Amino acid sequence: MTALLEHDVPGGAHWSLLLRAGRVLRLTALDDGAVCSTLLFAAGDPVDRLNVPDTLKAQMSARIRPPMVLMSDRGAALASVTGSSLDWHDCLTGHSLDGHVAEFGPTSYGTDRNDWRRSARSGLLSELRKHGRGPADLHACVNFFAKVAIGADGDLAHVPDHARAGDWVSLRAEQDLLVVLSTAPHPMSTAWAPGAVRAEVEAGAPYGPDDPSVTFRPESARALANAQAVLA
Amino acid sequence: MTATLTLPTVESALRAEDAVLDVTVAAGDGFLGRVPAGGSFRIVDLHGNQAADTLFYDADDVTNRYSAMDTIREQRAAYLTAGSRLLSQDGDPLVTITADTCGRHDTLGGACAQESNVVRYGMHTRHQHACRETFLRYGAPAGIGARELGHNVNFFMNVPLTPDGGLSFADGLSAPGRYVEVRAERDVLVLISNCPQLNNPCNGWDPTPIRLLGWTA
């Protein structure tokens, strides 16, 4: 399918886009170990946003994978994960803070120009502020392409290079969205090796009652129905 | 299966008769309070298996709120227990769990809301009382609105994760009289919804009161 928009986000950078309902955002890792820490907002609502705990408990999962539905505070679908080459995208461990990046040594624009190392937090806040938003709008992100393994006792261990170049995930917008993302390394990563991510927007197609996200679980179907009812 | 779990428990040396705060929160009710730096705050599960949905805030900046994801990442463990440092989204320690006779608490299951009840149980639950209602009602005087509601702690709730990436709500690990106690690492606000959920086992299908105790440093 021809992309309506194609944009490569370099590693360690940040970006945002407004995604129209029904369109599909396809993210592709261009480098091994790329990560895309992603926040989602309902574009037509001043406060509604991704709620990771609600998304997980409604679908009995501790990871993001197709055909899960990403749900908002209002119980409405924001996006459906329509496909992915990976069956595990981390959503438990947040995004990197300035303190994580400082562990890799001093950096500044003055010395490193556009290769200076910035945290995901720094980038996400920059994008949020461009949209008139700020720290109060932060929420648990999805770290597309990252995996944090869960041990039998609940211990958490980052899996380096979970994604290889070419791995992808596609998200169908279930209402108009603001998508805010950072390609800074995962906060548990022990190296600064940011990977680039390609973003492509495709037209998408209407879905029917046999759509995998509709049939996945009754909870997924109800969240999708709630999205249809956002604007009565 | 959960009955075979042996979890570490830590008792507190603080005595109820020395407490400066001693209140009971009725089933489905809420609480907003301030704990000064160094002070201790205890939540007692009076009747067992009662989820106490709890949020912490930097008392001087409600934007700097408890962050479940930053907390579990930095401790490299998904559950909260004695010794857990509960971090804000700026990475600042807000409180540390200093005593815990339950053994393990959830912070990934979120709070119930009228809207998410519809997702989980159907439209007939749309107007049932829910934690998000309580958070917004009790949070309002402190300037805590919908944007300031982060992902909460569920004290006394059992949400086991599995190595294959599963997550479920299971029967509670708590019992009558078990408690959890935190020490404030700075001046914090504590916002609690004593969970009114009737549709899953998080409250043993019967929401009950909790007791709150507080001590100054």
Side-chain angles (χ1 to χ4, degrees), chain B residues 181-215:
Chain B
E181 192 172 290
V182 300
R183 181 185 65 231
E185 302 297 351
R186 58 178 62 202
D187 292 353
V188 297
L189 298 178
V190 184
L191 178 59
I192 293 177
S193 166
N194 190 16
C195 183
Q197 181 61 260
L198 298 168
N199 300 286
N200 73 46
C202 70
N203 304 318
W205 310 99
D206 180 24
T208 50
I210 55 173
R211 182 184 182 190
L212 308 178
L213 296 159
W215 296 264

PDB file of all heavy atoms in Angstrom, chain B residues 181-215:
ATOM      1  N   GLU B 181       2.949  -0.382  55.619  1.00  0.00           N
ATOM      2  CA  GLU B 181       3.326   0.909  56.198  1.00  0.00           C
ATOM      3  C   GLU B 181       4.418   1.533  55.346  1.00  0.00           C
ATOM      4  O   GLU B 181       5.336   0.835  54.887  1.00  0.00           O
ATOM      5  CB  GLU B 181       3.837   0.680  57.622  1.00  0.00           C
ATOM      6  CG  GLU B 181       3.984   1.939  58.451  1.00  0.00           C
ATOM      7  CD  GLU B 181       4.311   1.546  59.899  1.00  0.00           C
ATOM      8  OE1 GLU B 181       3.421   0.996  60.590  1.00  0.00           O
ATOM      9  OE2 GLU B 181       5.468   1.758  60.311  1.00  0.00           O
ATOM     10  N   VAL B 182       4.289   2.845  55.125  1.00  0.00           N
ATOM     11  CA  VAL B 182       5.306   3.551  54.338  1.00  0.00           C
ATOM     12  C   VAL B 182       5.883   4.695  55.163  1.00  0.00           C
ATOM     13  O   VAL B 182       5.223   5.221  56.067  1.00  0.00           O
ATOM     14  CB  VAL B 182       4.723   4.121  53.016  1.00  0.00           C
ATOM     15  CG1 VAL B 182       4.167   3.003  52.145  1.00  0.00           C
ATOM     16  CG2 VAL B 182       3.665   5.183  53.284  1.00  0.00           C
ATOM     17  N   ARG B 183       7.117   5.045  54.842  1.00  0.00           N
ATOM     18  CA  ARG B 183       7.753   6.234  55.413  1.00  0.00           C
ATOM     19  C   ARG B 183       7.875   7.269  54.306  1.00  0.00           C
ATOM     20  O   ARG B 183       8.340   6.952  53.200  1.00  0.00           O
ATOM     21  CB  ARG B 183       9.147   5.888  55.952  1.00  0.00           C
ATOM     22  CG  ARG B 183       9.875   7.089  56.586  1.00  0.00           C
ATOM     23  CD  ARG B 183      11.294   6.728  56.993  1.00  0.00           C
ATOM     24  NE  ARG B 183      12.101   6.419  55.825  1.00  0.00           N
ATOM     25  CZ  ARG B 183      12.832   5.311  55.707  1.00  0.00           C
ATOM     26  NH1 ARG B 183      12.857   4.400  56.664  1.00  0.00           N
ATOM     27  NH2 ARG B 183      13.544   5.102  54.609  1.00  0.00           N
ATOM     28  N   ALA B 184       7.465   8.496  54.605  1.00  0.00           N
ATOM     29  CA  ALA B 184       7.536   9.561  53.606  1.00  0.00           C
ATOM     30  C   ALA B 184       8.985  10.023  53.443  1.00  0.00           C
ATOM     31  O   ALA B 184       9.661  10.319  54.422  1.00  0.00           O
ATOM     32  CB  ALA B 184       6.654  10.734  54.024  1.00  0.00           C
ATOM     33  N   GLU B 185       9.452  10.058  52.198  1.00  0.00           N
ATOM     34  CA  GLU B 185      10.817  10.511  51.918  1.00  0.00           C
ATOM     35  C   GLU B 185      10.858  12.009  51.645  1.00  0.00           C
ATOM     36  O   GLU B 185      11.933  12.594  51.500  1.00  0.00           O
ATOM     37  CB  GLU B 185      11.389   9.735  50.735  1.00  0.00           C
ATOM     38  CG  GLU B 185      11.411   8.217  50.940  1.00  0.00           C
ATOM     39  CD  GLU B 185      12.304   7.778  52.093  1.00  0.00           C
ATOM     40  OE1 GLU B 185      13.044   8.622  52.636  1.00  0.00           O
ATOM     41  OE2 GLU B 185      12.254   6.594  52.470  1.00  0.00           O
ATOM     42  N   ARG B 186       9.720  12.619  51.533  1.00  0.00           N
ATOM     43  CA  ARG B 186       9.554  14.072  51.440  1.00  0.00           C
ATOM     44  C   ARG B 186       8.112  14.315  51.848  1.00  0.00           C
ATOM     45  O   ARG B 186       7.379  13.358  52.091  1.00  0.00           O
ATOM     46  CB  ARG B 186       9.818  14.588  50.034  1.00  0.00           C
ATOM     47  CG  ARG B 186       8.936  13.969  48.972  1.00  0.00           C
ATOM     48  CD  ARG B 186       9.212  14.554  47.603  1.00  0.00           C
ATOM     49  NE  ARG B 186      10.585  14.274  47.195  1.00  0.00           N
ATOM     50  CZ  ARG B 186      11.242  14.974  46.277  1.00  0.00           C
ATOM     51  NH1 ARG B 186      10.648  15.997  45.666  1.00  0.00           N
ATOM     52  NH2 ARG B 186      12.470  14.676  45.950  1.00  0.00           N
ATOM     53  N   ASP B 187       7.682  15.546  51.920  1.00  0.00           N
ATOM     54  CA  ASP B 187       6.276  15.804  52.211  1.00  0.00           C
ATOM     55  C   ASP B 187       5.443  15.248  51.057  1.00  0.00           C
ATOM     56  O   ASP B 187       5.670  15.612  49.899  1.00  0.00           O
ATOM     57  CB  ASP B 187       6.015  17.305  52.358  1.00  0.00           C
ATOM     58  CG  ASP B 187       6.680  17.909  53.591  1.00  0.00           C
ATOM     59  OD1 ASP B 187       7.240  17.145  54.404  1.00  0.00           O
ATOM     60  OD2 ASP B 187       6.646  19.151  53.723  1.00  0.00           O
ATOM     61  N   VAL B 188       4.517  14.364  51.367  1.00  0.00           N
ATOM     62  CA  VAL B 188       3.720  13.746  50.303  1.00  0.00           C
ATOM     63  C   VAL B 188       2.231  13.872  50.606  1.00  0.00           C
ATOM     64  O   VAL B 188       1.816  13.965  51.766  1.00  0.00           O
ATOM     65  CB  VAL B 188       4.064  12.252  50.091  1.00  0.00           C
ATOM     66  CG1 VAL B 188       5.508  12.078  49.646  1.00  0.00           C
ATOM     67  CG2 VAL B 188       3.759  11.422  51.326  1.00  0.00           C
ATOM     68  N   LEU B 189       1.462  13.870  49.553  1.00  0.00           N
ATOM     69  CA  LEU B 189       0.016  13.702  49.648  1.00  0.00           C
ATOM     70  C   LEU B 189      -0.302  12.240  49.347  1.00  0.00           C
ATOM     71  O   LEU B 189       0.295  11.646  48.444  1.00  0.00           O
ATOM     72  CB  LEU B 189      -0.710  14.600  48.647  1.00  0.00           C
ATOM     73  CG  LEU B 189      -0.520  16.107  48.801  1.00  0.00           C
ATOM     74  CD1 LEU B 189      -1.289  16.840  47.690  1.00  0.00           C
ATOM     75  CD2 LEU B 189      -0.956  16.583  50.169  1.00  0.00           C
ATOM     76  N   VAL B 190      -1.220  11.689  50.122  1.00  0.00           N
ATOM     77  CA  VAL B 190      -1.705  10.327  49.897  1.00  0.00           C
ATOM     78  C   VAL B 190      -3.170  10.424  49.510  1.00  0.00           C
ATOM     79  O   VAL B 190      -3.967  11.022  50.239  1.00  0.00           O
ATOM     80  CB  VAL B 190      -1.577   9.458  51.165  1.00  0.00           C
ATOM     81  CG1 VAL B 190      -1.998   8.023  50.860  1.00  0.00           C
ATOM     82  CG2 VAL B 190      -0.156   9.484  51.708  1.00  0.00           C
ATOM     83  N   LEU B 191      -3.498   9.862  48.366  1.00  0.00           N
ATOM     84  CA  LEU B 191      -4.884   9.865  47.872  1.00  0.00           C
ATOM     85  C   LEU B 191      -5.323   8.410  47.741  1.00  0.00           C
ATOM     86  O   LEU B 191      -4.682   7.632  47.025  1.00  0.00           O
ATOM     87  CB  LEU B 191      -4.950  10.581  46.524  1.00  0.00           C
ATOM     88  CG  LEU B 191      -6.309  10.657  45.817  1.00  0.00           C
ATOM     89  CD1 LEU B 191      -7.354  11.353  46.659  1.00  0.00           C
ATOM     90  CD2 LEU B 191      -6.153  11.357  44.465  1.00  0.00           C
ATOM     91  N   ILE B 192      -6.392   8.058  48.454  1.00  0.00           N
ATOM     92  CA  ILE B 192      -6.826   6.655  48.503  1.00  0.00           C
ATOM     93  C   ILE B 192      -8.271   6.532  48.058  1.00  0.00           C
ATOM     94  O   ILE B 192      -9.128   7.337  48.432  1.00  0.00           O
ATOM     95  CB  ILE B 192      -6.684   6.100  49.944  1.00  0.00           C
ATOM     96  CG1 ILE B 192      -5.201   6.031  50.332  1.00  0.00           C
ATOM     97  CG2 ILE B 192      -7.329   4.704  50.067  1.00  0.00           C
ATOM     98  CD1 ILE B 192      -4.981   5.556  51.762  1.00  0.00           C
ATOM     99  N   SER B 193      -8.512   5.507  47.264  1.00  0.00           N
ATOM    100  CA  SER B 193      -9.879   5.042  47.040  1.00  0.00           C
ATOM    101  C   SER B 193      -9.992   3.649  47.643  1.00  0.00           C
ATOM    102  O   SER B 193      -9.288   2.729  47.218  1.00  0.00           O
ATOM    103  CB  SER B 193     -10.203   4.989  45.543  1.00  0.00           C
ATOM    104  OG  SER B 193     -11.396   4.242  45.359  1.00  0.00           O
ATOM    105  N   ASN B 194     -10.852   3.500  48.615  1.00  0.00           N
ATOM    106  CA  ASN B 194     -11.116   2.172  49.172  1.00  0.00           C
ATOM    107  C   ASN B 194     -12.064   1.480  48.196  1.00  0.00           C
ATOM    108  O   ASN B 194     -13.260   1.757  48.158  1.00  0.00           O
ATOM    109  CB  ASN B 194     -11.721   2.298  50.573  1.00  0.00           C
ATOM    110  CG  ASN B 194     -11.774   0.966  51.279  1.00  0.00           C
ATOM    111  OD1 ASN B 194     -11.112   0.011  50.867  1.00  0.00           O
ATOM    112  ND2 ASN B 194     -12.542   0.899  52.350  1.00  0.00           N
ATOM    113  N   CYS B 195     -11.499   0.602  47.412  1.00  0.00           N
ATOM    114  CA  CYS B 195     -12.106   0.140  46.145  1.00  0.00           C
ATOM    115  C   CYS B 195     -13.515  -0.433  46.319  1.00  0.00           C
ATOM    116  O   CYS B 195     -13.735  -1.342  47.117  1.00  0.00           O
ATOM    117  CB  CYS B 195     -11.204  -0.903  45.510  1.00  0.00           C
ATOM    118  SG  CYS B 195     -11.806  -1.492  43.918  1.00  0.00           S
ATOM    119  N   PRO B 196     -14.472   0.098  45.533  1.00  0.00           N
ATOM    120  CA  PRO B 196     -15.857  -0.390  45.610  1.00  0.00           C
ATOM    121  C   PRO B 196     -16.183  -1.500  44.608  1.00  0.00           C
ATOM    122  O   PRO B 196     -17.355  -1.874  44.479  1.00  0.00           O
ATOM    123  CB  PRO B 196     -16.660   0.871  45.274  1.00  0.00           C
ATOM    124  CG  PRO B 196     -15.793   1.595  44.289  1.00  0.00           C
ATOM    125  CD  PRO B 196     -14.357   1.307  44.685  1.00  0.00           C
ATOM    126  N   GLN B 197     -15.176  -2.018  43.913  1.00  0.00           N
ATOM    127  CA  GLN B 197     -15.427  -2.969  42.822  1.00  0.00           C
ATOM    128  C   GLN B 197     -16.168  -4.229  43.311  1.00  0.00           C
ATOM    129  O   GLN B 197     -15.759  -4.855  44.282  1.00  0.00           O
ATOM    130  CB  GLN B 197     -14.086  -3.379  42.194  1.00  0.00           C
ATOM    131  CG  GLN B 197     -14.176  -4.333  41.030  1.00  0.00           C
ATOM    132  CD  GLN B 197     -14.951  -3.778  39.853  1.00  0.00           C
ATOM    133  OE1 GLN B 197     -16.129  -4.099  39.677  1.00  0.00           O
ATOM    134  NE2 GLN B 197     -14.320  -2.922  39.067  1.00  0.00           N
ATOM    135  N   LEU B 198     -17.250  -4.559  42.604  1.00  0.00           N
ATOM    136  CA  LEU B 198     -18.060  -5.733  42.956  1.00  0.00           C
ATOM    137  C   LEU B 198     -17.938  -6.859  41.940  1.00  0.00           C
ATOM    138  O   LEU B 198     -18.487  -7.940  42.140  1.00  0.00           O
ATOM    139  CB  LEU B 198     -19.546  -5.325  43.029  1.00  0.00           C
ATOM    140  CG  LEU B 198     -19.911  -4.286  44.083  1.00  0.00           C
ATOM    141  CD1 LEU B 198     -21.326  -3.761  43.840  1.00  0.00           C
ATOM    142  CD2 LEU B 198     -19.796  -4.867  45.481  1.00  0.00           C
ATOM    143  N   ASN B 199     -17.215  -6.588  40.846  1.00  0.00           N
ATOM    144  CA  ASN B 199     -17.285  -7.516  39.712  1.00  0.00           C
ATOM    145  C   ASN B 199     -16.074  -8.432  39.567  1.00  0.00           C
ATOM    146  O   ASN B 199     -15.975  -9.177  38.601  1.00  0.00           O
ATOM    147  CB  ASN B 199     -17.474  -6.715  38.420  1.00  0.00           C
ATOM    148  CG  ASN B 199     -18.756  -5.894  38.453  1.00  0.00           C
ATOM    149  OD1 ASN B 199     -19.837  -6.441  38.333  1.00  0.00           O
ATOM    150  ND2 ASN B 199     -18.625  -4.590  38.647  1.00  0.00           N
ATOM    151  N   ASN B 200     -15.116  -8.329  40.477  1.00  0.00           N
ATOM    152  CA  ASN B 200     -13.980  -9.255  40.423  1.00  0.00           C
ATOM    153  C   ASN B 200     -13.491  -9.503  41.846  1.00  0.00           C
ATOM    154  O   ASN B 200     -13.940  -8.842  42.791  1.00  0.00           O
ATOM    155  CB  ASN B 200     -12.880  -8.717  39.490  1.00  0.00           C
ATOM    156  CG  ASN B 200     -12.101  -7.553  40.068  1.00  0.00           C
ATOM    157  OD1 ASN B 200     -11.694  -7.582  41.217  1.00  0.00           O
ATOM    158  ND2 ASN B 200     -11.892  -6.519  39.281  1.00  0.00           N
ATOM    159  N   PRO B 201     -12.561 -10.455  42.025  1.00  0.00           N
ATOM    160  CA  PRO B 201     -12.217 -10.878  43.392  1.00  0.00           C
ATOM    161  C   PRO B 201     -11.302  -9.911  44.152  1.00  0.00           C
ATOM    162  O   PRO B 201     -10.860 -10.245  45.256  1.00  0.00           O
ATOM    163  CB  PRO B 201     -11.512 -12.226  43.166  1.00  0.00           C
ATOM    164  CG  PRO B 201     -11.014 -12.178  41.771  1.00  0.00           C
ATOM    165  CD  PRO B 201     -11.972 -11.331  40.999  1.00  0.00           C
ATOM    166  N   CYS B 202     -11.017  -8.707  43.586  1.00  0.00           N
ATOM    167  CA  CYS B 202     -10.019  -7.851  44.232  1.00  0.00           C
ATOM    168  C   CYS B 202     -10.461  -7.418  45.635  1.00  0.00           C
ATOM    169  O   CYS B 202      -9.623  -7.070  46.466  1.00  0.00           O
ATOM    170  CB  CYS B 202      -9.677  -6.649  43.368  1.00  0.00           C
ATOM    171  SG  CYS B 202     -10.955  -5.410  43.204  1.00  0.00           S
ATOM    172  N   ASN B 203     -11.748  -7.419  45.909  1.00  0.00           N
ATOM    173  CA  ASN B 203     -12.221  -7.096  47.252  1.00  0.00           C
ATOM    174  C   ASN B 203     -12.937  -8.296  47.880  1.00  0.00           C
ATOM    175  O   ASN B 203     -13.784  -8.131  48.767  1.00  0.00           O
ATOM    176  CB  ASN B 203     -13.179  -5.897  47.219  1.00  0.00           C
ATOM    177  CG  ASN B 203     -12.543  -4.683  46.577  1.00  0.00           C
ATOM    178  OD1 ASN B 203     -11.376  -4.403  46.849  1.00  0.00           O
ATOM    179  ND2 ASN B 203     -13.255  -4.007  45.712  1.00  0.00           N
ATOM    180  N   GLY B 204     -12.616  -9.477  47.418  1.00  0.00           N
ATOM    181  CA  GLY B 204     -13.285 -10.666  47.940  1.00  0.00           C
ATOM    182  C   GLY B 204     -14.782 -10.628  47.676  1.00  0.00           C
ATOM    183  O   GLY B 204     -15.553 -11.237  48.422  1.00  0.00           O
ATOM    184  N   TRP B 205     -15.192  -9.892  46.625  1.00  0.00           N
ATOM    185  CA  TRP B 205     -16.595  -9.757  46.211  1.00  0.00           C
ATOM    186  C   TRP B 205     -17.422  -8.983  47.257  1.00  0.00           C
ATOM    187  O   TRP B 205     -18.639  -8.927  47.161  1.00  0.00           O
ATOM    188  CB  TRP B 205     -17.256 -11.119  45.945  1.00  0.00           C
ATOM    189  CG  TRP B 205     -16.443 -11.997  45.031  1.00  0.00           C
ATOM    190  CD1 TRP B 205     -15.606 -13.011  45.406  1.00  0.00           C
ATOM    191  CD2 TRP B 205     -16.354 -11.926  43.602  1.00  0.00           C
ATOM    192  NE1 TRP B 205     -15.000 -13.570  44.295  1.00  0.00           N
ATOM    193  CE2 TRP B 205     -15.459 -12.935  43.181  1.00  0.00           C
ATOM    194  CE3 TRP B 205     -16.947 -11.102  42.618  1.00  0.00           C
ATOM    195  CZ2 TRP B 205     -15.132 -13.142  41.840  1.00  0.00           C
ATOM    196  CZ3 TRP B 205     -16.629 -11.325  41.285  1.00  0.00           C
ATOM    197  CH2 TRP B 205     -15.729 -12.331  40.912  1.00  0.00           C
ATOM    198  N   ASP B 206     -16.775  -8.391  48.238  1.00  0.00           N
ATOM    199  CA  ASP B 206     -17.502  -7.698  49.313  1.00  0.00           C
ATOM    200  C   ASP B 206     -16.619  -6.587  49.868  1.00  0.00           C
ATOM    201  O   ASP B 206     -15.844  -6.810  50.786  1.00  0.00           O
ATOM    202  CB  ASP B 206     -17.856  -8.703  50.420  1.00  0.00           C
ATOM    203  CG  ASP B 206     -18.603  -8.038  51.567  1.00  0.00           C
ATOM    204  OD1 ASP B 206     -19.229  -6.987  51.345  1.00  0.00           O
ATOM    205  OD2 ASP B 206     -18.525  -8.577  52.690  1.00  0.00           O
ATOM    206  N   PRO B 207     -16.704  -5.352  49.316  1.00  0.00           N
ATOM    207  CA  PRO B 207     -15.851  -4.258  49.794  1.00  0.00           C
ATOM    208  C   PRO B 207     -16.062  -3.981  51.276  1.00  0.00           C
ATOM    209  O   PRO B 207     -17.196  -3.981  51.765  1.00  0.00           O
ATOM    210  CB  PRO B 207     -16.299  -3.066  48.925  1.00  0.00           C
ATOM    211  CG  PRO B 207     -16.848  -3.698  47.680  1.00  0.00           C
ATOM    212  CD  PRO B 207     -17.510  -4.965  48.156  1.00  0.00           C
ATOM    213  N   THR B 208     -14.962  -3.719  51.972  1.00  0.00           N
ATOM    214  CA  THR B 208     -14.996  -3.557  53.430  1.00  0.00           C
ATOM    215  C   THR B 208     -14.131  -2.355  53.839  1.00  0.00           C
ATOM    216  O   THR B 208     -13.342  -1.856  53.041  1.00  0.00           O
ATOM    217  CB  THR B 208     -14.470  -4.826  54.128  1.00  0.00           C
ATOM    218  OG1 THR B 208     -13.211  -5.186  53.541  1.00  0.00           O
ATOM    219  CG2 THR B 208     -15.452  -5.986  53.982  1.00  0.00           C
ATOM    220  N   PRO B 209     -14.241  -1.890  55.086  1.00  0.00           N
ATOM    221  CA  PRO B 209     -13.472  -0.714  55.512  1.00  0.00           C
ATOM    222  C   PRO B 209     -11.966  -1.013  55.657  1.00  0.00           C
ATOM    223  O   PRO B 209     -11.550  -2.161  55.839  1.00  0.00           O
ATOM    224  CB  PRO B 209     -14.070  -0.385  56.888  1.00  0.00           C
ATOM    225  CG  PRO B 209     -15.362  -1.122  56.950  1.00  0.00           C
ATOM    226  CD  PRO B 209     -15.201  -2.332  56.102  1.00  0.00           C
ATOM    227  N   ILE B 210     -11.193   0.059  55.592  1.00  0.00           N
ATOM    228  CA  ILE B 210      -9.773   0.009  55.919  1.00  0.00           C
ATOM    229  C   ILE B 210      -9.499   1.022  57.028  1.00  0.00           C
ATOM    230  O   ILE B 210     -10.276   1.976  57.216  1.00  0.00           O
ATOM    231  CB  ILE B 210      -8.866   0.317  54.703  1.00  0.00           C
ATOM    232  CG1 ILE B 210      -9.241   1.673  54.068  1.00  0.00           C
ATOM    233  CG2 ILE B 210      -8.941  -0.802  53.674  1.00  0.00           C
ATOM    234  CD1 ILE B 210      -8.296   2.122  52.964  1.00  0.00           C
ATOM    235  N   ARG B 211      -8.420   0.812  57.773  1.00  0.00           N
ATOM    236  CA  ARG B 211      -8.030   1.749  58.833  1.00  0.00           C
ATOM    237  C   ARG B 211      -6.714   2.394  58.429  1.00  0.00           C
ATOM    238  O   ARG B 211      -5.806   1.709  57.921  1.00  0.00           O
ATOM    239  CB  ARG B 211      -7.861   0.982  60.143  1.00  0.00           C
ATOM    240  CG  ARG B 211      -7.510   1.825  61.349  1.00  0.00           C
ATOM    241  CD  ARG B 211      -7.275   0.916  62.556  1.00  0.00           C
ATOM    242  NE  ARG B 211      -6.973   1.663  63.771  1.00  0.00           N
ATOM    243  CZ  ARG B 211      -6.539   1.113  64.900  1.00  0.00           C
ATOM    244  NH1 ARG B 211      -6.366  -0.214  64.967  1.00  0.00           N
ATOM    245  NH2 ARG B 211      -6.271   1.845  65.955  1.00  0.00           N
ATOM    246  N   LEU B 212      -6.620   3.693  58.658  1.00  0.00           N
ATOM    247  CA  LEU B 212      -5.406   4.445  58.339  1.00  0.00           C
ATOM    248  C   LEU B 212      -4.810   4.990  59.629  1.00  0.00           C
ATOM    249  O   LEU B 212      -5.520   5.574  60.452  1.00  0.00           O
ATOM    250  CB  LEU B 212      -5.726   5.615  57.402  1.00  0.00           C
ATOM    251  CG  LEU B 212      -6.510   5.262  56.130  1.00  0.00           C
ATOM    252  CD1 LEU B 212      -6.786   6.532  55.331  1.00  0.00           C
ATOM    253  CD2 LEU B 212      -5.744   4.256  55.291  1.00  0.00           C
ATOM    254  N   LEU B 213      -3.500   4.798  59.786  1.00  0.00           N
ATOM    255  CA  LEU B 213      -2.791   5.298  60.963  1.00  0.00           C
ATOM    256  C   LEU B 213      -1.603   6.121  60.499  1.00  0.00           C
ATOM    257  O   LEU B 213      -0.949   5.770  59.509  1.00  0.00           O
ATOM    258  CB  LEU B 213      -2.291   4.127  61.822  1.00  0.00           C
ATOM    259  CG  LEU B 213      -3.365   3.235  62.452  1.00  0.00           C
ATOM    260  CD1 LEU B 213      -2.793   1.886  62.811  1.00  0.00           C
ATOM    261  CD2 LEU B 213      -3.931   3.919  63.682  1.00  0.00           C
ATOM    262  N   GLY B 214      -1.306   7.200  61.217  1.00  0.00           N
ATOM    263  CA  GLY B 214      -0.165   8.034  60.844  1.00  0.00           C
ATOM    264  C   GLY B 214       0.650   8.432  62.055  1.00  0.00           C
ATOM    265  O   GLY B 214       0.101   8.640  63.149  1.00  0.00           O
ATOM    266  N   TRP B 215       1.964   8.528  61.862  1.00  0.00           N
ATOM    267  CA  TRP B 215       2.893   8.943  62.918  1.00  0.00           C
ATOM    268  C   TRP B 215       3.826  10.015  62.358  1.00  0.00           C
ATOM    269  O   TRP B 215       4.264   9.919  61.203  1.00  0.00           O
ATOM    270  CB  TRP B 215       3.761   7.764  63.391  1.00  0.00           C
ATOM    271  CG  TRP B 215       3.026   6.636  64.033  1.00  0.00           C
ATOM    272  CD1 TRP B 215       2.843   6.444  65.372  1.00  0.00           C
ATOM    273  CD2 TRP B 215       2.383   5.529  63.387  1.00  0.00           C
ATOM    274  NE1 TRP B 215       2.129   5.287  65.596  1.00  0.00           N
ATOM    275  CE2 TRP B 215       1.831   4.706  64.397  1.00  0.00           C
ATOM    276  CE3 TRP B 215       2.212   5.146  62.053  1.00  0.00           C
ATOM    277  CZ2 TRP B 215       1.140   3.526  64.112  1.00  0.00           C
ATOM    278  CZ3 TRP B 215       1.521   3.978  61.757  1.00  0.00           C
ATOM    279  CH2 TRP B 215       0.983   3.185  62.789  1.00  0.00           C
TER     280      TRP B 215
END
